[in-house]
Amino acid sequence: MSTTARAQKAPDTRGPVRKLLTSFGFQILAALVLGIAAGLIGRQLGATAENPTGLSATLDTIGNSYVTLLRAAVVPLIFTAIVASISNLRRVQNAARLAGQTILWFAITAFIAVIIGIVLGLVIQPGNRAGEGLEPGDPYTVGTWWNFLLGLIPQNFLGLTVSTNPGAAEGTFSSSVGFNILQVIVVAAVVGIAALKAGKKAEPFLVFTESLLKVIQRVLWWIIRIAPLGTFGLIGSAVIKYGWEKLASLGWFAAAVYIGLALVLFVVYPILVRTHGLSIKQYFSGVWPAVQLAFVSRSSIGTLPLTERVTERNLGVPRSYASFAVPLGATTKMDGCAAIYPAIAAIFVAQFFGIELNFVQYLLIVIVSVVGSAATAGTTGAVVMLTLTLSTLGLPLEGVGLLLAIDPILDMGRTAVNVAGQALIPTIVAKREGILNEELYNAPREGLPFADDSGDDDEAAPEADASSDKEPVSAR
C-alpha cells in the first residue's frame, strides 16, 4: 500500500494577525461581507439589473471577469484531467474494483439526496406557497433523454460548436464559439482508453498530457489566488441584481432547497464520515477550501484542481486514485444540482400548475437523479437537469421560467454540496479499501491547499511522488 506523502516544511513563523490575513477562508469570508455591503450600497444608490450604475457595472465586470477566467481553462482542464485520470489506472491494482466502488457510492449518495429532496418538497409544498407575480416562461435550454444521447456523439474532436444570431443592426450577424462539455468528456474518455490499450507506444503522449495538466493546474492556482476578488464582485453584483425582493415570491422554494442542501452537507455526509471511522472535524477542515471556492465560482470543473488537491493532501487519498475519482466526480457527482434541486423543483412545478404526481412519477424523479447526473456536465447546468426531469415526468417546461430569477443564488449552495461530495466519495472508498493515509487525514491543516510548496514539485519532493505515482496502489 502506498499513499500520498506530505513533504516536510519549514516551521511557520508568521504571527497570528498575518496568519489570519493570509488565510484563504478569512479572505473569502471578508470578500463575502464586503461584497454584500457593496451590493447594498449600490441598491441604496438606485442600481438595479435594469438600471446599472458605475458601482454595479464595476462589480459586474469584476465578477464576470473572474468567471470568464475559470471557464477559459475548463476545456483543456477537462480533456487533460480525464485522459490523465484514466491513464493513472495503469498504476492501480484492482482498478476496476475501485472504479466500481466509486460509481456505486456516487449512486448511493445521489439516492439519499433525491429522497431528501422529495420529502422536503412534499412537506414544505413550495409550489402551493409561491408568492404573487410569478409567470411561466420558456427555459433558455431544454434537456431530454434523446438530446442527451445525441449530445454524446462528438461533432468534432474538440466538441466545438458555433452559433450565429442576428446582430443589433439590420443585416448584421454575430457568431459565438462554444464547447459541448459532454462531447469533450466523451472524446477525452475515448482518447484515454485508447492510450491505455496502446501500451508502451502511448507513454510519450501520456507523459505529455500529464505535464500539460500540471501547467494548466498551475495557471488555475493563480486564478484561485484571486478568488476573493472574484467573490467580492460576484456577491456584490448578485445583491444588486436580485436583491431580497426576488426571494420573496420564491422564498419557500429557496428555503426548501437550502434546507435540503444543509441536510446533505451537515447531516448525511458527516454520518457517512463517522460510519467509516473518520473524524467529521477533519473532513470539514480538509474539504472546506474547495467548498468555499465552489460556492463562489458555481462550477465543479472550475473548482476541480482545488478539490483534487484537498482530497489528496488534506484527506489522504492516494494521488493515483484521486486523480481518477475526483475528475470523474466533477463531471458526474452532483448531489446538489442533479438530486436535491431537480426533485424539489419538479414538485414545485407540479404543485404550481395543480398537477398531482403519482408513485411512478416520484420513482422516475429518483431514477433520473441517480442515472442522469452526467447531463449537468460539471458546469452551471442544473437547468438542463431540471428540464430533463420535467420532460421525463411530462410536466410543463414553462415551469422552469418560474425559477430562473433566483437560480444563481441557489446555484451557489448546490455547487458547494456537489464539491463536498466529490471529495467525500474518494475518501470513503479509499478508507474501505485500506489505502487511505489516515495519518495525513488527521494531520493539522497548515497553509494554503494550493500554495506552491515543495509537495507540488516533482523534483522538490521525489520521495512523495515516488510513493504516490510510481508504486501501485492495491485494494483489498
Side-chain angles (χ1 to χ4, degrees):
M1 180 185 73
S2 64
T3 52
T4 304
R6 184 187 293 273
Q8 295 293 325
K9 298 181 183 179
D12 191 346
T13 58
R14 295 175 300 168
V17 175
R18 187 180 176 190
K19 280 186 179 180
L20 178 64
L21 294 177
T22 57
S23 166
F24 182 69
F26 173 79
Q27 292 173 356
I28 290 290
L29 290 176
L32 282 169
V33 173
L34 292 175
I36 292 173
L40 292 175
I41 292 173
R43 290 188 69 83
Q44 288 295 320
L45 295 176
T48 63
E50 295 77 19
N51 300 298
T53 63
L55 176 60
S56 66
T58 301
L59 292 171
D60 190 56
T61 300
I62 293 173
N64 287 337
S65 297
Y66 182 73
V67 173
T68 299
L69 285 174
L70 280 176
R71 289 179 175 173
V74 163
V75 172
L77 177 64
I78 290 177
F79 182 84
T80 54
I82 291 180
V83 172
S85 66
I86 292 176
S87 69
N88 275 327
L89 290 178
R90 73 192 189 278
R91 300 170 177 161
V92 182
Q93 295 178 8
N94 294 329
R97 177 185 172 91
L98 284 172
Q101 286 282 317
T102 303
I103 295 172
L104 174 62
W105 277 98
F106 282 177
I108 290 173
T109 51
F111 175 79
I112 295 172
V114 72
I115 293 299
I116 290 175
I118 291 174
V119 171
L120 287 173
L122 294 176
V123 172
I124 297 178
Q125 296 190 351
N128 294 330
R129 301 186 182 206
E132 300 293 333
L134 292 180
E135 296 182 0
D138 293 329
Y140 57 78
T141 183
V142 176
T144 66
W145 286 109
W146 181 247
N147 288 338
F148 170 64
L149 293 174
L150 289 178
L152 293 174
I153 303 174
Q155 299 178 11
N156 52 69
F157 179 73
L158 297 175
L160 186 67
T161 59
V162 179
S163 59
T164 302
N165 300 301
E170 185 177 354
T172 63
F173 295 88
S174 61
S175 297
S176 60
V177 178
F179 291 90
N180 185 313
I181 300 299
L182 277 177
Q183 293 180 12
V184 174
I185 293 171
V186 170
V187 170
V190 171
V191 171
I193 294 172
L196 275 182
K197 295 295 184 181
K200 291 184 178 180
K201 292 185 178 180
E203 282 295 328
F205 169 75
L206 294 177
V207 171
F208 169 76
T209 302
E210 291 178 357
S211 298
L212 180 60
L213 176 60
K214 277 288 186 182
V215 173
I216 295 170
Q217 286 180 328
R218 183 55 59 90
V219 173
L220 276 164
W221 302 152
W222 297 338
I223 297 175
I224 290 171
R225 287 180 187 277
I226 61 172
L229 181 61
T231 301
F232 172 74
L234 287 167
I235 296 299
S237 179
V239 171
I240 290 175
K241 286 183 178 179
Y242 307 109
W244 310 119
E245 296 84 355
K246 295 284 187 180
L247 282 174
S249 58
L250 292 169
W252 285 104
F253 173 72
V257 171
Y258 267 96
I259 290 173
L261 296 172
L263 286 174
V264 171
L265 181 58
F266 297 114
V267 178
V268 175
Y269 288 173
I271 289 176
L272 291 175
V273 169
R274 175 53 65 187
T275 301
H276 287 84
L278 298 173
S279 166
I280 296 173
K281 177 184 176 181
Q282 287 297 104
Y283 164 71
F284 278 116
S285 65
V287 79
W288 204 249
V291 171
Q292 289 176 318
L293 181 61
F295 184 84
V296 175
S297 67
R298 297 167 48 207
S299 172
S300 294
I301 289 294
T303 314
L304 171 59
L306 186 54
T307 308
E308 187 171 340
R309 180 62 65 92
V310 299
T311 303
E312 294 174 8
R313 295 194 174 185
N314 289 353
L315 302 182
V317 178
R319 180 178 300 176
S320 50
Y321 169 53
S323 62
F324 162 77
V326 177
L328 177 65
T331 54
T332 60
K333 175 63 180 159
M334 305 285 166
D335 287 343
C337 290
I340 296 172
Y341 175 74
I344 297 177
I347 294 174
F348 172 91
V349 171
Q351 292 171 348
F352 184 85
F353 286 99
I355 300 172
E356 194 74 27
L357 297 179
N358 55 39
F359 175 78
V360 174
Q361 288 174 306
Y362 287 118
L363 183 61
L364 284 174
I365 293 177
V366 174
I367 294 173
V368 171
S369 297
V370 173
V371 304
S373 296
T376 59
T379 60
T380 53
V383 173
V384 175
M385 189 64 191
L386 175 57
T387 58
L388 179 65
T389 305
L390 295 181
S391 61
T392 302
L393 299 177
L395 295 175
L397 294 177
E398 292 80 7
V400 178
L402 298 168
L403 310 175
L404 291 181
I406 63 169
D407 189 72
I409 297 174
L410 301 179
D411 200 31
M412 294 177 176
R414 292 189 312 235
T415 310
V417 171
N418 292 345
V419 167
Q422 291 158 14
L424 172 68
I425 298 306
T427 305
I428 288 177
V429 173
K431 170 65 174 178
R432 293 173 66 87
E433 297 299 324
I435 60 175
L436 184 70
N437 186 342
E438 295 191 48
E439 182 180 354
L440 190 56
Y441 182 95
N442 293 314
R445 311 300 183 203
E446 298 178 357
L448 295 171
F450 50 84
D452 296 330
D453 55 31
S454 59
D456 188 45
D457 298 320
D458 295 338
E459 51 274 56
E463 294 182 2
D465 269 3
S467 65
S468 62
D469 282 349
K470 295 181 180 178
E471 296 180 5
V473 175
S474 58
R476 288 185 305 201

